[in-house]
Amino acid sequence: MNHDSLKNPTAVDCIRHHSTYSQSDWDKFLRLIEFNSGTPASYIRTGTNILPVKNDIITALGWQIPVYDSTFSKSFSDISDQRCQQLKTKAQGKPWLVLWSGGIDSTVIVTSILKNFAPHELSQVKIGCNKISVYENPHFFYKYIKPNFELINSANLDFNDELFKTHIVIDGEPADQLFVSRAQDYLFKYPESMTKNVRNEPDQLLECLAEGTFDSLAPLGSKWATWFYETMMVNIDSVDVPIENYHDFYWWYMFNVTWVGIKIRSLSCQTDNTQESLQAYLDNFIHWFDTDDYQQWSMNNNTIGIKYGNNIADYKLVAKQYIYEFDRNEWYFKFKTKKNSGSRILKHPTWDCILDDFTRLNWKDHTQEILDLLPGHLV
Amino acid sequence: MIQNFKYFVWGSAIKNKPLYGLYNQVVDCFLLVTPDYYAADKLKTILSSRYELLTVELSLADNFALDLIDNTVCTQWSFKEKNQIKIGKLSFQSFEKIIRPKTLCAAQEPLRYELEQEQEYALMCQHWINFINQQKNFIDNIQKFNEFLPLPELGTDTFSELSAEIYRIMYLGEDLEQVDQHIATLIENNNLLFFTPVHLPDYES
């Protein structure tokens, strides 16, 4: 379910009528959607399901968080190199179309390719980018991308059946969910607070949550902040993944709750809407960072100096180090900060609900059908 | 010392004119100051290949004074409202073209990175931006004649092509000496007529 669709007045009426959730809880859930603007859906991947929607999609599609392994010791660098080898095997000779935004995540991908492909193999890879991608990392573009790869304008790329028949498409999701991106607002304002204990000293966290984010239309308020904090803590206390401080709290929200939304949001770029089209998307649109190894790494490395630091330029530090070891671009390493860069324009999804058999429904044409299904989607 | 650099300019404030500082969040200080808004804006774009800079109108601060900040001390200064700036979440999204500070304050020392080389590069870029700006009006007037007196045997380069090439060199450049020499050679080999300015720009006097 595209959870933005739940704001539709007829959906809200249905929810009010059928759900065990109170109206005020639904108001809070809708504010959650606002807090998390940019992804179409929120689902709990592990631990107590604290959201008012069922999360059958997780087990149906195998999108759970892997069981936490505290002995996991692979480095980010090794995982990134190995990822390249894995995808070579998976692609079975199909050309790659790598969506490069100029940001840190997709630059990691291209770096891995340049490190792990023989020169004669680079012709198998095309780079989808646009002008803004170049402006974000021009040195990398002119030194490494332009001389080595065929370029495709990604600005309005259509993820149609033909594209997936002929390529595997690779993007840099869900890297933000491995590293945390919501915290960047907080990090910018109160960097010294990121390591405050989330259970014993939540006061400043609550203040920040109440302010909302830069995406919020208005402050979210202290009542919402308290609800969100207490609700998330129920889930946090039900898992054995170490979550100790403010950074970890934000990270866990991104990693556990928003992961699925990110995986499916590029469906908005798909014009073919058949059941087969959705299967083709799932089979051939590869999110580089969506692996068990990256997720284990993420759970085991919520540490200053690896994922973040006291300066905004320390965000995704280990990923920047991986790039720097290859391109020696000191400016990108020292000064690059997090921006919501995109290799393509994401549109509002044309679907509001996807059925088990991958049929897509929308409010305009299938209002009653969706309303009939909605109670079954709610907890 | 930065004032020994061949393209050094003080960038000092002029009475009744705004003074702008180019601020970087990562090092939390001003890389350069200038009363020339056009130059500041152009520099932001050129230096964006290295880092993001924000234009701060220093002269609006309550504690601003004419002799407070110049390019010998700008890296020692920051401003108190820096954490309240709504920084664009999207690449190249800017909410405020010019930041309006209330209070200037000392930058935290030591700086996260030594900036003298970056300042020198920025000053060099400023020099060539000013060169292009000075020449532009003169050359535009000359080139009006091209419509009816093309004279290709006396050269076909256009100033817009030359200035675009100069900006590109600075944008993608890494080594200051190489970039400076490249631009100087480009201008020398060009067929355009340039004039030698009689007066230096205001801010250098």
Side-chain angles (χ1 to χ4, degrees):
Chain A
M1 171 66 75
N2 175 349
H3 291 148
D4 267 342
S5 309
L6 298 177
K7 293 192 236 180
N8 184 302
T10 44
V12 172
D13 277 344
C14 184
I15 291 162
R16 194 181 289 128
H17 184 66
H18 288 282
S19 171
T20 55
Y21 257 60
S22 66
Q23 183 58 49
S24 88
D25 281 342
W26 269 105
D27 288 343
K28 287 166 188 159
F29 179 62
L30 293 178
R31 295 216 131 178
L32 175 68
I33 296 173
E34 191 180 317
F35 182 76
N36 190 35
S37 65
T39 58
S42 300
Y43 286 104
I44 295 293
R45 292 205 292 151
T46 198
T48 303
N49 184 11
I50 49 166
L51 294 181
V53 291
K54 289 182 181 169
N55 57 351
D56 301 348
I57 186 176
I58 303 296
T59 42
L61 294 175
W63 289 354
Q64 307 90 325
I65 294 175
V67 174
Y68 171 59
D69 175 7
S70 61
T71 66
F72 185 86
S73 60
K74 281 187 191 175
S75 69
F76 182 88
S77 178
D78 286 344
I79 297 169
S80 299
D81 288 337
Q82 288 164 13
R83 182 60 168 148
C84 202
Q85 303 301 337
Q86 286 164 9
L87 287 177
K88 271 188 184 178
T89 308
K90 182 180 171 69
Q92 294 180 324
K94 243 177 166 180
W96 297 17
L97 173 57
V98 175
L99 302 177
W100 181 71
S101 68
I104 298 167
D105 310 327
S106 52
T107 304
V108 164
I109 301 174
V110 182
T111 300
S112 178
I113 291 169
L114 288 163
K115 284 176 68 182
N116 294 288
F117 272 54
H120 70 273
E121 292 178 313
L122 292 178
S123 56
Q124 293 171 31
V125 179
K126 300 173 192 174
I127 301 291
C129 63
N130 56 52
K131 287 184 181 178
I132 292 182
S133 317
V134 178
Y135 305 152
E136 185 134 351
N137 198 348
H139 294 287
F140 194 86
F141 175 78
Y142 281 101
K143 272 198 186 157
Y144 298 110
I145 292 188
K146 196 161 188 269
N148 288 305
F149 301 103
E150 179 186 338
L151 302 180
I152 307 287
N153 185 356
S154 67
N156 282 297
L157 194 60
D158 179 5
F159 289 175
N160 56 30
D161 291 344
E162 185 56 29
L163 178 70
F164 288 128
K165 208 160 123 192
T166 54
H167 295 79
I168 65 162
V169 180
I170 299 171
D171 79 356
E173 306 283 20
D176 284 353
Q177 280 60 27
L178 295 176
F179 283 94
V180 76
S181 84
R182 271 294 164 267
Q184 64 178 310
D185 303 339
Y186 194 75
L187 184 64
F188 180 59
K189 283 190 185 177
Y190 315 110
E192 68 287 349
S193 303
M194 290 294 276
T195 51
K196 279 179 87 166
N197 189 288
V198 74
R199 289 176 177 81
N200 303 335
E201 306 172 274
D203 49 330
Q204 206 168 352
L205 175 65
L206 288 168
E207 281 174 18
C208 192
L209 288 170
E211 284 174 28
T213 69
F214 284 157
D215 297 333
S216 309
L217 296 174
L220 294 171
S222 57
K223 277 191 184 162
W224 178 87
T226 303
W227 169 83
F228 179 72
Y229 168 78
E230 289 176 352
T231 305
M232 278 302 301
M233 288 308 298
V234 168
N235 175 268
I236 286 172
D237 287 338
S238 73
V239 300
D240 62 356
V241 179
I243 297 157
E244 304 298 334
N245 57 34
Y246 289 8
H247 165 275
D248 301 348
F249 178 90
Y250 274 101
W251 159 76
W252 183 249
Y253 167 70
M254 297 290 289
F255 187 65
N256 194 10
V257 182
T258 72
W259 184 278
V260 169
I262 292 294
K263 277 179 73 71
I264 59 177
R265 75 173 172 177
S266 289
L267 282 171
S268 70
C269 299
Q270 195 174 37
T271 48
D272 295 320
N273 276 328
T274 65
Q275 294 158 286
E276 292 75 24
S277 304
L278 187 45
Q279 190 62 58
Y281 172 95
L282 293 172
D283 291 340
N284 296 286
F285 188 26
I286 310 292
H287 302 301
W288 179 276
F289 293 95
D290 181 12
T291 70
D292 283 1
D293 272 359
Y294 273 123
Q295 292 183 73
Q296 288 290 359
W297 174 87
S298 182
M299 291 188 278
N300 280 284
N301 285 281
N302 283 312
T303 314
I304 279 193
I306 297 182
K307 282 194 189 177
Y308 68 103
N310 290 326
N311 188 285
I312 52 168
D314 291 336
Y315 176 65
K316 293 186 177 173
L317 189 57
V318 69
K320 289 168 77 176
Q321 279 167 338
Y322 181 78
I323 297 165
Y324 177 69
E325 278 161 15
F326 176 78
D327 75 353
R328 311 312 277 188
N329 180 342
E330 290 219 4
W331 299 295
Y332 198 81
F333 178 65
K334 287 180 176 176
F335 293 101
K336 179 79 181 85
T337 56
K338 164 68 180 166
K339 288 287 183 188
N340 287 353
S341 41
S343 58
R344 63 210 177 277
I345 297 167
L346 292 173
K347 307 167 186 100
H348 189 78
T350 56
W351 56 272
D352 296 291
C353 170
I354 301 179
L355 303 181
D356 292 354
D357 65 358
F358 292 167
T359 303
R360 282 178 254 203
L361 307 180
N362 63 76
W363 275 108
K364 183 167 169 284
D365 300 322
H366 310 107
T367 311
Q368 195 53 54
E369 207 173 333
I370 294 176
L371 287 176
D372 290 343
L373 288 167
L374 198 48
H377 184 63
L378 306 173
V379 169
Chain B
M1 289 164 69
I2 193 70
Q3 53 262 53
N4 297 333
F5 180 59
K6 62 178 172 177
Y7 292 133
F8 175 77
V9 290
W10 287 95
S12 304
I14 298 168
K15 202 172 174 188
N16 299 325
K17 276 194 171 180
L19 183 70
Y20 303 99
L22 290 174
Y23 173 81
N24 178 269
Q25 289 174 270
V26 175
V27 280
D28 185 24
C29 70
F30 297 98
L31 183 69
L32 212 67
V33 294
T34 176
D36 182 346
Y37 177 73
Y38 172 83
D41 201 50
K42 206 78 190 177
L43 267 173
K44 261 176 67 168
T45 306
I46 288 171
L47 295 174
S48 68
S49 62
R50 297 176 173 212
Y51 27 71
E52 187 179 10
L53 293 168
L54 302 173
T55 309
V56 179
E57 193 169 334
L58 300 166
S59 39
L60 290 176
D62 293 338
N63 57 343
F64 178 78
L66 278 181
D67 59 353
L68 189 69
I69 299 183
D70 59 35
N71 283 324
T72 59
V73 297
C74 58
T75 58
Q76 297 167 26
W77 287 93
S78 176
F79 63 106
K80 283 194 173 172
E81 300 81 26
K82 55 183 173 260
N83 287 343
Q84 291 155 28
I85 305 166
K86 195 164 181 179
I87 301 294
K89 295 290 287 296
L90 300 176
S91 294
F92 302 98
Q93 178 190 25
S94 60
F95 287 96
E96 298 162 56
K97 215 163 158 64
I98 302 177
I99 309 292
R100 290 164 166 73
K102 285 203 178 126
T103 313
L104 303 175
C105 61
Q108 270 194 333
E109 288 196 343
L111 289 181
R112 186 174 165 94
Y113 301 119
E114 177 55 53
L115 288 179
E116 191 162 316
Q117 281 192 347
E118 297 306 319
Q119 284 188 293
E120 288 180 356
Y121 194 86
L123 285 164
M124 179 204 63
C125 292
Q126 187 176 3
H127 166 82
W128 291 116
I129 289 168
N130 288 336
F131 169 82
I132 290 169
N133 207 28
Q134 284 161 6
Q135 303 295 334
K136 191 174 182 316
N137 282 343
F138 174 71
I139 289 177
D140 279 350
N141 286 333
I142 300 268
Q143 289 190 328
K144 283 174 190 169
F145 292 90
N146 281 346
E147 276 182 33
F148 54 92
L149 280 177
L151 293 170
E153 60 272 29
L154 293 180
T156 55
D157 294 337
T158 66
F159 186 64
S160 59
E161 285 169 7
L162 174 66
S163 50
E165 183 62 18
I166 291 173
Y167 291 136
R168 187 168 33 247
I169 291 166
M170 293 192 290
Y171 180 72
L172 293 174
E174 296 181 17
D175 180 84
L176 187 153
E177 291 302 330
Q178 280 180 12
V179 167
D180 194 38
Q181 189 54 50
H182 190 171
I183 295 172
T185 307
L186 201 62
I187 291 169
E188 203 178 299
N189 294 341
N190 198 273
N191 292 327
L192 291 166
L193 291 165
F194 297 108
F195 82 97
T196 306
V198 175
H199 301 290
L200 291 171
D202 281 347
Y203 61 82
E204 286 186 60
S205 57

